[in-house]
Amino acid sequence: MDPIERQVRESLRTRADDVEPTPALWREVDRRLARRRRLRAWTWLPVAASLIAAAVAIPMVVGGDEVPRIDDVLGTDGPEETPTDPVGPDDGDAPRDVDGTDADEAPLALDLPTAPVVVAAEQRVSLVGPDGTLELATFPTEGESVVLEVAVQPGSTPDDLTAIVVTTGEGFTELRWVDVRDGEVVGRGSITEPPLAAVSTTETDVVIEGTSWSPAGDRLAWLERHRDGTGTVLRTIAWAGEPGEGAPGSCPAVGPGVDECEPAADEEVSFPVPELDGTGARLAGWVASDTAAAFQFVAPDGDPGYWVWSLGIGTDTIPTVDDSPQRIEVDEPDVTAVLDIAGGTVLRRTADGVEVVLPDREVLATLPDGDRREIPSGLVAAGDGGAFVVVDGRLHEVMPDGDVTDLGAAVAVDRVD
Amino acid sequence: MVRAGTDATSFAAVFNAHHRQAVRLAYLLVSDPHLAEDVVSEAFAKVYVRWAKGGVRDVGSYLRRAVANEANSRLRRRYLERRVAEERSGDDRGVRLVDEHAAEHDEVWQAIQRLPDRQRTAVVLRYYEDLSEADTAEVLGCSVGTVKSQVSRGLARLQELLHAPTAGGGR
């Protein structure tokens, strides 16, 4: 062992020996455990379980921005406080149950439908699930960074997750990423320099929007709006654990309307898309079929209906794609079309929810609410002091006392049980 | 090894067996005794969730990881936690520092506190917890190579700090 190692070890042990915990530590642990156990006991009660089921259903049909108070749903004042009798360790008594109840009376796990989600609030991105909330990223309010959107890598699970976060602050847009492994945040980074990013984050003349993963999760795409005359660019980068990593890519075939394709590096390919200059088109998704892959853009124009333009990419041939934006007419005045998701299948929002409409106009299914970027309304999780409910694509925390907090826009995460 | 169980009564025994070591580890990672207590409290609460389901085979190892992760998370919000700690300065919470004066005059400790968070955590796990590089990597959720580089850089940085004129003329 080197001298410096010996010095470090000696110092650490000496300093550690200086530290002695106090009984206040157990009281604090006891308080947190009691809180968790009280909630479990509450949610296990059959009447509570059935009423929570009602809490799932009601937001589905209510829609809109108004979230019912849990009191209105449950018809109860919520769980009763269980008197606690904290018992500190080393106090001469045998340790007792942490909340003074018989441990056999309360189950230790919930049996409720769960759907973990990544939530983007203005200054925070979180993973919310049945095991609690994991903060993925926070941004200081002083710098006025605001989260614009989040894209979760396909195949992500609550324990192994990669999320792309687009933030804006002080005049520039930034792409950040967060990695979660085994349920813990293990890495964060920013995509800040060329060729992966358009320009350094010190530049303010580019806006990034519409981050979208390839269906396989091995590439990431986004749309860049350059204000310096470059115009609109669709940029894609490889991703294998971190940006720019992965198998060397080849320049995709040029799609209709695209007059050049010059990959700056194997890990990055960009497409000038002049057709989208000055439009409000959004990159809606990266879809794939057996023979081709395509980016799809959606542009509303204020009239019933919307524009969709599919830009194909491939390796051997140019796939069949639209050679110009296609207008999708919508007859129903109360329908705001949402997305053309694949092969002419359309998601459209109606008063009843979101319909999945096949190319032959047959309605395949009606979802409670939400669009491709959102998740259906419903109960996400109940535990740890309340319930999490998605309404209209936004996650709300509902406390037992009826307080409701809008936590932000929600993005679904796959669950692997 | 402490076997996992579902009897909440025995969790106090788990606490008894591990809390002192956990608090000391947390203190070495965050420096602030008040913050160390918060870190350990939350770590125990997280361990309890899995322990109660019978999902923790080695509580000590799981708790160590929970403390390291929670400490890392808290360090990112340190400026807020400091404010909380200041507000608590008048109550009976927190851990006792037996010899604060000695800590302030321990040049190595002062230098350790100036390490970047990841280097500091790796160094503490290696030289206080005596974890192997592989075990340290498991706690940190990174590769063994990353642990090696973090520890190596940390030690190099410590040597720089201890021999820099601003560090009081070296040791």
Side-chain angles (χ1 to χ4, degrees):
Chain A
M1 181 174 289
D2 295 338
I4 183 65
E5 292 177 300
R6 281 196 293 271
Q7 286 180 303
V8 168
R9 174 169 291 175
E10 179 183 353
S11 174
L12 289 172
R13 291 183 174 177
T14 302
R15 299 283 71 80
D17 287 344
D18 278 349
V19 179
E20 283 295 329
T22 71
L25 176 61
W26 171 253
R27 288 201 295 272
E28 177 62 18
V29 172
D30 183 36
R31 185 188 67 79
R32 298 185 191 209
L33 299 188
R35 181 167 175 263
R36 288 168 189 259
R37 287 177 54 77
R38 278 201 305 275
L39 185 77
R40 288 193 180 94
W42 167 57
T43 53
W44 181 251
L45 292 172
V47 61
S50 62
L51 291 168
I52 285 175
V56 180
I58 287 180
M60 292 181 181
V61 298
V62 170
D65 295 328
E66 185 175 352
V67 180
R69 291 170 57 87
I70 195 117
D71 285 354
D72 299 335
V73 179
L74 299 178
T76 174
D77 293 329
E80 292 185 6
E81 290 286 318
T82 303
T84 59
D85 182 16
V87 179
D90 300 327
D91 63 356
D93 290 332
R96 284 178 282 165
D97 198 348
V98 291
D99 64 356
T101 61
D102 185 342
D104 293 335
E105 291 179 356
L108 296 169
L110 294 170
D111 185 17
L112 292 169
T114 58
V117 294
V118 171
V119 183
E122 287 190 351
Q123 263 86 34
R124 186 185 70 250
V125 179
S126 312
L127 173 66
V128 178
D131 293 332
T133 298
L134 175 64
E135 294 293 337
L136 301 180
T138 56
F139 305 99
T141 55
E142 295 174 358
E144 297 182 350
S145 287
V146 174
V147 177
L148 297 177
E149 57 183 77
V150 176
V152 177
Q153 188 178 34
S156 291
T157 71
D159 284 338
D160 295 290
L161 173 75
T162 298
I164 301 298
V165 183
V166 181
T167 64
T168 183
E170 299 179 348
F172 58 84
T173 315
E174 189 170 6
L175 276 165
R176 308 170 190 246
W177 52 277
V178 182
D179 256 345
V180 173
R181 294 291 175 265
D182 296 328
E184 304 287 350
V185 175
V186 298
R188 295 183 178 84
S190 299
I191 306 172
T192 57
E193 299 294 336
L196 299 184
V199 290
S200 165
T201 53
T202 57
E203 303 292 336
T204 59
D205 58 356
V206 62
V207 173
I208 296 170
E209 62 184 28
T211 47
S212 182
W213 288 94
S214 66
D218 58 352
R219 292 190 77 84
L220 179 70
W222 62 83
L223 208 58
E224 296 170 0
R225 304 284 194 178
H226 292 255
R227 297 165 178 159
D228 61 356
T230 304
T232 304
V233 172
L234 173 69
R235 190 175 301 270
T236 77
I237 64 172
W239 197 290
E242 57 184 284
E245 298 294 329
S250 59
C251 180
V254 178
V258 178
D259 52 10
E260 62 177 306
C261 173
E262 297 178 353
D266 286 338
E267 71 271 24
E268 180 271 343
V269 183
S270 60
F271 301 84
V273 200
E275 287 80 359
L276 299 184
D277 289 349
T279 73
R282 295 277 304 175
L283 176 59
W286 187 335
V287 297
S289 66
D290 293 339
T291 57
F295 298 102
Q296 296 190 320
F297 306 90
V298 173
D301 58 7
D303 295 326
Y306 57 100
W307 296 92
V308 171
W309 186 45
S310 296
L311 171 65
I313 60 171
T315 54
D316 299 322
T317 60
I318 298 176
T320 300
V321 292
D322 302 332
D323 57 5
S324 62
Q326 303 295 303
R327 180 166 182 77
I328 307 298
E329 300 293 341
V330 178
D331 298 331
E332 303 91 326
D334 60 342
V335 168
T336 303
V338 182
L339 294 175
D340 179 350
I341 54 175
T345 300
V346 173
L347 285 180
R348 63 183 186 185
R349 186 189 300 269
T350 72
D352 295 329
V354 174
E355 295 176 340
V356 181
V357 185
L358 299 177
D360 62 2
R361 291 185 175 269
E362 178 187 356
V363 177
L364 178 65
T366 301
L367 304 177
D369 204 352
D371 64 22
R372 190 175 183 279
R373 295 181 180 280
E374 299 169 346
I375 60 176
S377 297
L379 178 67
V380 173
D384 227 357
F388 295 99
V389 179
V390 173
V391 179
D392 200 22
R394 298 183 70 80
L395 186 70
H396 299 80
E397 182 177 18
V398 186
M399 302 299 291
D401 62 5
D403 287 342
V404 176
T405 304
D406 183 346
L407 298 177
V411 182
V413 178
D414 298 337
R415 167 164 280 280
V416 178
D417 292 317
Chain B
M1 176 185 293
V2 177
R3 287 185 58 81
T6 56
D7 181 0
T9 302
S10 63
F11 194 73
V14 171
F15 177 88
N16 271 338
H18 296 281
H19 74 291
R20 180 171 286 102
Q21 180 76 2
V23 165
R24 290 174 171 176
L25 172 61
Y27 172 72
L28 294 178
L29 295 177
V30 302
S31 299
D32 184 328
H34 302 284
L35 184 53
E37 183 190 54
D38 276 346
V39 165
V40 172
S41 298
E42 186 57 26
F44 267 110
K46 288 181 175 177
V47 168
Y48 174 76
V49 172
R50 295 218 176 180
W51 176 89
K53 297 175 183 175
V56 183
R57 295 182 60 83
D58 184 345
V59 174
S61 176
Y62 194 88
L63 178 64
R64 185 187 298 121
R65 181 171 183 171
V67 168
N69 284 322
E70 189 64 24
N72 185 42
S73 175
R74 297 300 182 91
L75 287 172
R76 289 192 294 271
R77 307 193 301 270
R78 171 163 257 182
Y79 73 101
L80 289 175
E81 299 296 336
R82 279 179 173 163
R83 194 165 61 191
V84 172
E86 289 169 1
E87 291 171 356
R88 288 176 178 165
S89 59
D91 67 20
D92 65 349
R93 294 166 51 88
V95 293
R96 298 189 184 96
L97 271 179
V98 175
D99 194 345
E100 197 165 338
H101 178 80
E104 291 176 355
H105 290 81
D106 182 340
E107 291 180 354
V108 178
W109 173 237
Q110 295 301 320
I112 290 171
Q113 294 179 86
R114 295 174 63 184
L115 291 179
D117 294 340
R118 288 177 62 84
Q119 290 179 16
R120 175 177 175 174
T121 304
V123 165
V124 169
L125 291 172
R126 287 282 287 128
Y127 295 108
Y128 174 67
E129 293 281 349
D130 278 336
L131 297 186
S132 67
E133 290 171 337
D135 288 342
T136 303
E138 185 177 350
V139 170
L140 297 178
C142 64
S143 67
V144 171
T146 299
V147 170
K148 288 181 178 177
S149 66
Q150 294 289 347
V151 171
S152 175
R153 290 175 187 173
L155 293 176
R157 178 63 178 152
L158 287 175
Q159 286 188 310
E160 288 178 12
L161 292 169
L162 292 171
H163 291 91
T166 53
R171 290 176 53 83

